[in-house]
């Protein structure tokens, strides 16, 4: 039995520039029950705080709620592993929340077959992730859509800016299409792709 | 007013993206003694009190937001000029790229400044006042020190340009009440 191995902070992400979460990987537990604690300091002061919420974001994580989260200030974050035989510190990580914004995926992605004088077309529409406050301008989301026929390998990607609708014209008669949408803040990280939406285009001459 | 804010926030968006791309270029070559750990709180604009989260930012009146934005931008005109002068003699493999991007930064800052002047004209006198943020024009004499200082100043500008962009986008959405789909 030995002191615990060195933990490693693996990632910090903010979904909406208002809160954020950091995750860590425990090192070897030394064959003993080991506890973990996350400590952080803001660049603007010497005070060291401990994580106030280890639970909301699941195991080996710390959730910084709105009161604990400031932006345009560097957080210096360290995780400490402790067991009966000793402690071990992770390498510290420096984080400014504005550079780790990765939104949740767009919601209610809907694909409909519509028709106008030129014939049928696919109309894709979606909504912003619920927790992103775009109406105040606090976060500005841009979207990307990809579409392909079920049997094709290559996706066709489209950058649609801040729009929340997109049309696919002259779809293959009788074809089954797959559509996904994702978003990112103007200066942030792409969300995951939404779960695939399928649509069957009726046969038409 | 809405259109002007739309155009101005497009320039601020580009300005911040440019500062990020220039920071990445610089990061490809860190001076031998590494980036001296200069805490961002040592930036020359850190004395300017700005909101630090959404709750605070959304409470700031428009005229105050605009004077914060202008104070930040004006505080960077001398430093950007100095960085432009220093770029050609940097000990960095991509110094010509760094020079051209710094020039682009300066051009975009000037364009943004013009747009903000028009905004002040439209938004009225109270957004006139600008806090002065003195900048000591000395990047150091040793060549590694100059590269580190260049790097440090860029990291400060990257943060301030993000503040400018964020505040303008808040102003833009307040003005866009008539076109809700924009925000
Ligand atoms: Na946890
Ligand atoms: Na907060
Ligand atoms: Na942003």
């Amino acid at each position: 039995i030995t002191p615990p191995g060195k933990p490693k902070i693996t990632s910090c992400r903010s979904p909406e520039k208002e809160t954020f979460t950091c995750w860590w990987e425990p090192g070897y537990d030394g064959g003993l029950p080991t506890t973990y604690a996350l400590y952080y300091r803001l660049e603007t002061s010497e005070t060291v705080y401990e994580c106030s919420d280890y639970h909301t974001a699941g195991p080996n994580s710390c959730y910084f709620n709105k009161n604990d989260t400031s932006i345009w200030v560097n957080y210096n974050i360290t995780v400490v592993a402790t067991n009966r035989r000793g402690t071990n510190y992770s390498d510290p990580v420096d984080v400014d929340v504005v550079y780790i914004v990765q939104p949740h995926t767009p919601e209610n992605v809907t694909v409909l077959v519509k028709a106008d004088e030129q014939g049928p077309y696919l109309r894709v529409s979606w909504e912003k992730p619920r927790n992103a406050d775009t109406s105040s301008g606090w976060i500005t989301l841009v979207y990307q859509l990809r579409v392909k026929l079920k049997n094709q390998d290559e996706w066709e990607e489209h950058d649609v800016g801040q729009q929340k609708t997109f049309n696919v014209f002259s779809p293959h008669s009788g074809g089954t299409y797959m559509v996904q949408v994702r978003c990112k803040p103007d200066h942030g990280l792409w969300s995951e792709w939404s779960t695939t939406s399928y649509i069957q285009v009726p046969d038409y001459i | 007013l809405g259109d002007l804010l739309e155009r101005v926030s497009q320039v601020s968006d580009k300005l911040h993206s440019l500062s990020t791309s220039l920071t990445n270029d610089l990061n490809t070559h860190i001076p031998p003694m590494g980036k001296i750990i200069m805490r961002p709180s040592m930036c020359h604009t850190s004395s300017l009190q700005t909101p630090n989260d959404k709750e605070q930012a959304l409470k700031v009146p428009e005229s105050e937001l605009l004077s914060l934005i202008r104070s930040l931008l004006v505080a960077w005109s001398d430093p950007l000029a100095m960085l432009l002068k220093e770029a050609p003699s940097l000990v960095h493999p991509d110094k010509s790229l760094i020079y051209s991007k710094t020039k682009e930064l300066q051009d975009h800052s000037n364009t943004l400044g013009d747009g903000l002047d028009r905004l002040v004209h439209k938004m009225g006198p109270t957004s006139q006042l600008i806090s002065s943020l003195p900048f000591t024009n000395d990047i150091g004499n040793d060549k590694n020190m100059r590269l580190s200082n260049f790097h440090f100043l860029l990291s400060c500008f990257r943060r301030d340009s993000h503040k400018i962009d964020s505040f303008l986008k808040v102003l833009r959405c307040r003005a866009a009440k008539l076109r809700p789909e924009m925000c």
Side-chain angles (χ1 to χ4, degrees):
Chain A
I1 32 180
T2 64
K6 185 175 177 159
K8 180 173 186 304
I9 297 173
T10 47
S11 161
C12 294
R13 286 288 179 272
S14 165
E16 65 328 48
K17 221 164 58 168
E18 295 181 51
T19 65
F20 72 105
T21 300
C22 291
W23 292 267
W24 66 81
E25 252 168 34
Y28 170 55
D29 65 7
L32 288 165
T34 301
T35 59
Y36 293 88
L38 179 142
Y39 295 102
Y40 64 95
R41 187 179 55 75
L42 297 178
E43 111 219 354
T44 42
S45 95
E46 293 311 316
T47 323
V48 177
Y49 301 94
E50 184 179 355
C51 171
S52 63
D53 182 344
Y54 288 107
H55 305 294
T56 298
N60 299 322
S61 73
C62 174
Y63 172 72
F64 293 76
N65 62 33
K66 286 182 180 171
N67 293 334
D68 298 342
T69 301
S70 294
I71 66 171
W72 300 314
V73 62
N74 271 3
Y75 283 71
N76 185 281
I77 302 171
T78 308
V79 170
V80 188
T82 308
N83 69 16
R84 233 182 9 185
R85 296 302 298 275
T87 65
N88 207 335
Y89 291 81
S90 74
D91 291 335
V93 149
D94 264 310
V95 169
D96 181 338
V97 172
V98 291
Y99 301 132
I100 58 163
V101 181
Q102 177 178 36
H104 293 149
T105 54
E107 296 182 10
N108 302 343
V109 180
T110 318
V111 193
L112 299 171
V113 179
K114 297 241 170 188
D116 59 15
E117 321 76 62
Q118 276 83 25
Y121 62 93
L122 301 182
R123 180 170 179 73
V124 189
S125 61
W126 58 89
E127 283 154 25
K128 69 174 179 68
R130 223 165 309 156
N131 57 3
D133 177 2
T134 50
S135 58
S136 72
W138 182 246
I139 190 166
T140 305
L141 292 178
V142 292
Y143 299 91
Q144 200 177 57
L145 172 144
R146 65 181 185 181
V147 56
K148 80 180 175 75
L149 269 165
K150 207 162 156 223
N151 46 29
Q152 281 171 331
D153 300 334
E154 291 302 315
W155 289 93
E156 207 186 281
E157 281 195 3
H158 301 278
D159 285 302
V160 297
Q162 294 179 48
Q163 265 171 266
K164 293 200 267 293
T165 58
F166 184 79
N167 295 334
V168 179
F169 291 104
S170 53
H172 284 251
S173 160
T176 301
Y177 281 86
M178 299 167 66
V179 180
Q180 289 182 321
V181 185
R182 67 177 180 174
C183 59
K184 82 175 184 61
D186 42 20
H187 308 294
L189 307 162
W190 283 110
S191 71
E192 300 297 325
W193 288 104
S194 60
T195 45
T196 307
S197 305
Y198 293 85
I199 186 87
Q200 168 88 32
V201 179
D203 296 331
Y204 67 96
I205 31 96
Chain B
L1 180 65
D3 293 345
L4 182 53
L5 273 166
E6 182 63 36
R7 284 199 308 279
V8 169
S9 54
Q10 276 161 12
V11 178
S12 61
D13 183 281
K14 179 74 174 141
L15 185 63
H16 177 66
S17 301
L18 267 172
S19 72
T20 300
S21 111
L22 184 47
T23 305
N24 295 338
D25 295 339
L26 272 163
N27 283 344
T28 58
H29 178 73
I30 307 291
M33 63 189 169
K35 274 193 297 184
I36 323 167
I37 304 302
M38 290 257 207
R39 299 223 320 252
S41 52
M42 294 164 65
C43 298
H44 73 292
T45 50
S46 60
S47 57
L48 184 69
Q49 286 303 324
T50 67
N52 273 101
D53 64 22
K54 177 175 113 166
E55 208 191 330
Q56 292 169 27
L58 297 188
K59 275 196 285 221
V60 177
E62 274 141 25
S63 56
E64 207 184 308
L65 269 183
L66 192 52
S67 64
L68 276 179
I69 293 163
R70 294 178 70 230
S71 307
L72 284 171
L73 192 64
V74 164
W76 278 101
S77 73
D78 289 349
L80 282 180
M82 186 188 78
L83 290 180
L84 196 58
K85 195 162 59 66
E86 288 303 323
S89 60
L90 277 183
V91 273
H92 193 292
D94 310 326
K95 64 181 177 187
S96 53
L97 176 67
I98 290 167
Y99 175 81
S100 56
K101 283 192 179 177
T102 307
K103 183 78 187 83
E104 242 188 301
L105 267 190
Q106 193 181 50
D107 297 342
H108 274 80
S109 299
N110 295 337
T111 309
L112 184 56
D114 299 343
L116 292 176
D117 291 343
R118 283 203 301 281
L119 258 182
V120 165
H121 182 64
K122 280 210 154 76
M123 286 177 74
T126 47
S127 43
Q128 294 287 11
L129 30 96
I130 290 182
S131 354
S132 88
L133 300 158
F135 168 70
T136 47
N137 221 332
D138 163 28
I139 192 161
N141 27 44
D142 151 80
K143 57 183 172 46
N144 287 325
M145 171 67 92
R146 292 150 80 101
L147 182 58
S148 297
N149 272 328
F150 195 103
H151 204 283
F152 168 66
L153 281 170
L154 231 303
S155 69
C156 297
F157 182 73
R158 187 178 174 213
R159 174 178 282 181
D160 285 346
S161 62
H162 191 281
K163 287 187 178 185
I164 289 170
D165 186 46
S166 297
F167 296 151
L168 276 171
K169 283 171 177 167
V170 167
L171 282 177
R172 181 178 74 94
C173 282
R174 277 190 205 171
K177 284 298 158 266
L178 331 138
R179 291 172 301 162
E181 81 293 349
M182 279 313 291
C183 289

